[in-house]
Amino acid sequence: MVTRSPASEETTMPDHRKLGRELDLFDSDPLIGAGLPYWLPDGAIIRHRLEEYVRAAETRAGYQHVYSPVLAKRELYERSGHWAHYREDMFPPMDLGGEQVVLRPSLCPHHALIYRSRAHSYRELPLRMAELGGMYRAELSGVLGGLTRVRAIQLNDAHIFCTLDQVAAEAAGALDLIRKAYAALDIQDARYRLSLPGPGGKYVAAPELWQRASALLREVLDSAGIDYAEAEGEAAFYGPKIDVQIVDSAGRESTLSTVQVDFYQPEQFDLHYIGADGGRHRPVMVHRSVIGSVERAVAHLIERHGGAFPAWLAPRQVAILPISEAEEPAAHDLLSHCREAGLRAEVISAGEGSLGARIRNARLVPYQAILGAREVAEHRVALRLRDGRRLDAMPVEECLRRVGAVVEAHSPRLWDND
């Protein structure tokens, strides 16, 4: 969902479409098609690091990762309700061997089937299932733009199968993952919304379940002390949700992260677990996305940081600047040490301009390592931070250790004593 936020009309953020192309992060080609951007090497680094962060955070939180196909029979989405409630946003079915298959608009039906494929006991719950998977939306040409509205989406998605008594804790845990990710990404301007059903027939009819799910999400938000607004008509067709909203450079508001409570699809797919009493019980399905669409997340980060990404996410983390050609061998030796330490670095040689010009050209790189004759002789590095701070020269090993510690901590800070 994308709306225009009146409060953000005067935003001064750069447009990610312009800056992303200037920085060689992504591009598009008419032969590939509208709404289908491709990632260039530096953009691929950002995407990869973001995906690695999310997978690691989910693993620490007890999620199990799966892969599922991007195609399925039309019947699957008829069962899930997507065909009845979401068909206009789906690509047309393809005839294949007497069956109709479609590109999926969502991952949740696949995860429901994965859950259903094995018997489960109450002792296994909550069962947290996560995937960074592709999905497809038949967006109209007029709304496509850069990375924010695309037709092929890489979604950070997860579904938690749990008992009713576990729902509040699981939703709260999902919100905690979101808030930690926003801190690491230095996203400071998000706002929270409780999205509720509105009038009309786009929602599944189950008033008691809607009321119960809405009450649970209110409880989670209130317990966390989060300020939020309620918005009728913004719920998913199968249940209410907590949406975390961001604003782009044009003042358009969209959803980045979400937590949803779903009683409907467990019924549709006849999901169950064996309880302590030996009987069959219906689980609740909590849908949850920490960074949502990877494309939309990167678009927001480009605009939020103007290309000056947190050190752990930056395509280039260290720019090595020899003052003269005499320091070039030492610069390349430092480059090797950086790579061995897992840091992304490059040498900007003296032949590429004056030191001042090279510093300006590397202004988006978090760390600039200056090497003069004295630093080379003493095996030290004069480090300059992106914000203009200059640190005393320090041994190479100490420099790389301290830079590596900031990167490893996924901190938005540039130095360990900030």
Side-chain angles (χ1 to χ4, degrees):
M1 175 64 187
V2 178
T3 58
R4 186 171 295 278
S5 174
S8 60
E9 292 292 345
E10 297 181 0
T11 181
T12 58
M13 291 191 298
D15 187 322
H16 84 277
R17 294 169 297 181
K18 181 175 185 292
L19 187 56
R21 287 179 168 87
E22 290 175 354
L23 296 176
D24 289 332
L25 302 181
F26 68 91
D27 213 326
S28 60
D29 192 289
L31 284 176
I32 296 176
L36 300 168
Y38 56 82
W39 299 82
L40 295 164
D42 282 358
I45 289 173
I46 295 170
R47 171 173 166 169
H48 187 205
R49 295 297 295 133
L50 191 57
E51 292 176 350
E52 282 184 330
Y53 169 86
V54 170
R55 283 196 185 96
E58 289 172 338
T59 299
R60 289 193 299 270
Y63 286 81
Q64 302 175 62
H65 290 90
V66 299
Y67 289 106
S68 58
V70 299
L71 285 169
K73 292 167 63 174
R74 169 178 162 176
E75 181 183 350
L76 173 63
Y77 303 108
E78 291 174 340
R79 176 79 64 88
S80 70
H82 286 85
W83 190 255
H85 297 276
Y86 205 73
R87 182 169 53 200
E88 64 184 22
D89 294 308
M90 296 172 63
F91 281 96
M94 295 174 279
D95 291 321
L96 186 65
E99 297 178 335
Q100 286 195 324
V101 296
V102 294
L103 289 165
R104 67 179 174 193
S106 175
L107 280 66
C108 46
H110 294 252
H111 289 187
L113 292 185
I114 293 174
Y115 176 90
R116 196 179 71 174
S117 69
R118 303 289 187 275
H120 299 283
S121 162
Y122 71 96
R123 293 186 180 90
E124 298 175 58
L125 305 186
L127 191 157
R128 307 180 185 103
M129 187 185 301
E131 181 175 2
L132 269 159
M135 67 178 199
Y136 300 83
R137 301 282 173 89
E139 299 278 13
L140 298 176
S141 298
V143 301
L144 297 172
L147 298 177
T148 54
R149 294 292 290 270
V150 294
R151 288 172 170 159
I153 301 165
Q154 190 74 7
L155 186 69
N156 159 232
D157 205 8
H159 298 91
I160 304 165
F161 302 89
C162 61
T163 67
L164 181 60
D165 291 341
Q166 294 169 334
V167 169
E170 290 304 308
L175 275 183
D176 186 54
L177 280 176
I178 291 169
R179 295 171 86 175
K180 286 179 179 176
Y182 283 24
L185 295 166
D186 200 23
I187 296 175
Q188 302 175 356
D189 50 356
R191 70 177 189 86
Y192 291 76
R193 183 180 77 189
L194 178 58
S195 297
L196 301 171
K202 69 174 184 174
Y203 307 100
V204 296
E208 292 183 5
L209 297 183
W210 279 94
Q211 291 172 10
R212 179 184 288 183
S214 299
L216 282 168
L217 291 179
R218 281 196 187 90
E219 175 190 338
V220 168
L221 287 164
D222 291 338
S223 297
I226 294 174
D227 292 330
Y228 64 95
E230 296 191 3
E232 291 189 355
E234 298 295 342
F237 72 83
Y238 48 78
K241 54 185 177 143
I242 296 170
D243 287 324
V244 188
Q245 302 295 103
I246 55 171
V247 176
D248 70 8
S249 60
R252 293 177 299 236
E253 182 178 294
S254 59
T255 300
L256 184 58
S257 310
T258 186
V259 181
Q260 308 169 22
V261 175
D262 180 4
F263 293 97
Y264 174 74
Q265 291 197 67
E267 291 278 353
Q268 291 298 102
F269 289 102
D270 191 26
L271 306 184
H272 64 271
Y273 64 91
I274 304 302
D277 60 359
R280 289 160 56 100
H281 299 269
R282 189 79 68 204
V284 182
M285 196 170 171
V286 177
H287 304 238
R288 178 255 63 185
S289 185
V290 173
I291 58 166
S293 156
V294 173
E295 289 80 9
R296 182 173 290 176
V298 173
H300 185 69
L301 291 171
I302 293 170
E303 296 186 351
R304 165 75 181 90
H305 298 295
F309 300 102
W312 67 271
L313 199 61
R316 214 84 59 238
Q317 294 165 321
V318 182
I320 303 169
L321 306 172
I323 289 179
S324 69
E325 291 184 4
E327 289 81 43
E328 296 274 346
H332 285 279
D333 186 54
L334 178 58
L335 176 65
S336 296
H337 286 299
C338 286
R339 289 174 174 170
E340 289 172 4
L343 297 172
R344 297 182 291 277
E346 68 173 343
V347 173
I348 305 179
S349 67
E352 296 183 41
S354 68
L355 180 62
R358 286 181 285 148
I359 287 174
R360 288 191 296 274
N361 289 339
R363 64 189 179 281
L364 297 179
V365 180
Y367 307 103
Q368 298 165 358
I370 313 297
L371 291 179
R374 182 174 178 179
E375 285 79 20
V376 171
E378 297 177 355
H379 301 287
R380 299 168 79 85
V381 175
L383 205 62
R384 189 179 191 278
L385 306 187
R386 180 171 57 199
D387 59 14
R389 283 180 289 168
R390 299 179 184 181
L391 307 182
D392 293 336
M394 66 187 81
V396 170
E397 295 79 6
E398 178 186 354
C399 174
L400 298 187
R401 176 180 56 79
R402 295 179 72 175
V403 170
V406 174
V407 170
E408 184 66 24
H410 296 99
S411 173
R413 302 176 304 167
L414 283 175
W415 202 239
D416 52 19
N417 59 0
D418 285 356

